[in-house]
Amino acid sequence: MSSDVFQGIDTSRHLVYLIDDLPSNNTISEKMLAVTGLKTRSFTSAKEALNAARTEKPDVILLDILMPSMDGMAFLEALRDAPELSDIRVIIVSAVNEISEMMQSKALGACDYLTKPFTIDRLQEAVASQLKPQRNNDNTQRQ
């Protein structure tokens, strides 16, 4: 496991939201990130996650696309339309391997796109790469 991709990042100060309507998918991602020291919070509802983000503001969100009620694309639109949330980094984590979905998610502000199934190394690298620009701002992150 290459949790050394987090070298120089105080992982204990960062929060990652895991949003997938299947709890087992969130559990897998949570276990893959647990070894890094990152704090995670899982949601099976994009609407719940959006409401929580307004008060808790995660650093990174792992987001599924295909979900009932509010899908991943609608979540991205809502996130980008809220000025206080628009700078949150989002990584799409989906079984959908379509170029059009990837392009649409990028156009809506997603930073990366992981196709399920993915490896622990790939997930950790994707999350670490989104946290690295924040390294100099660690003192403004979570206590």
Side-chain angles (χ1 to χ4, degrees), residues 11-39:
T11 56
S12 68
R13 300 180 94 140
H14 296 286
L15 175 63
V16 178
Y17 273 13
L18 312 171
I19 309 171
D20 195 308
D21 58 314
L22 297 176
S24 59
N25 287 341
N26 284 336
T27 301
I28 290 167
S29 294
E30 190 171 2
K31 287 180 179 180
M32 289 180 169
L33 294 175
V35 297
T36 69
L38 287 165
K39 292 182 280 186

Side-chain angles (χ1 to χ4, degrees), residues 75-102:
F75 178 90
L76 276 173
E77 288 177 10
L79 199 68
R80 298 305 165 221
D81 289 344
E84 73 278 13
L85 303 177
S86 63
D87 63 336
I88 297 173
R89 293 167 172 88
V90 179
I91 300 169
I92 300 296
V93 179
S94 181
V96 177
N97 191 14
E98 299 283 330
I99 296 292
S100 61
E101 295 287 331
M102 292 177 193

Side-chain angles (χ1 to χ4, degrees), residues 13-18 39-43 48-61 84-85 88 141-142:
R13 300 180 94 140
H14 296 286
L15 175 63
V16 178
Y17 273 13
L18 312 171
K39 292 182 280 186
T40 60
R41 184 163 177 209
S42 296
F43 296 89
E48 284 180 31
L50 187 60
N51 289 333
R54 293 183 195 287
T55 57
E56 198 170 40
K57 197 165 179 198
D59 299 291
V60 176
I61 295 174
E84 73 278 13
L85 303 177
I88 297 173
Q141 297 300 315
R142 282 166 203 32

Side-chain angles (χ1 to χ4, degrees), residues 62-77:
L62 300 181
L63 177 66
D64 187 24
I65 292 178
L66 302 175
M67 293 183 290
S69 186
M70 175 185 260
D71 69 11
M73 296 302 180
F75 178 90
L76 276 173
E77 288 177 10

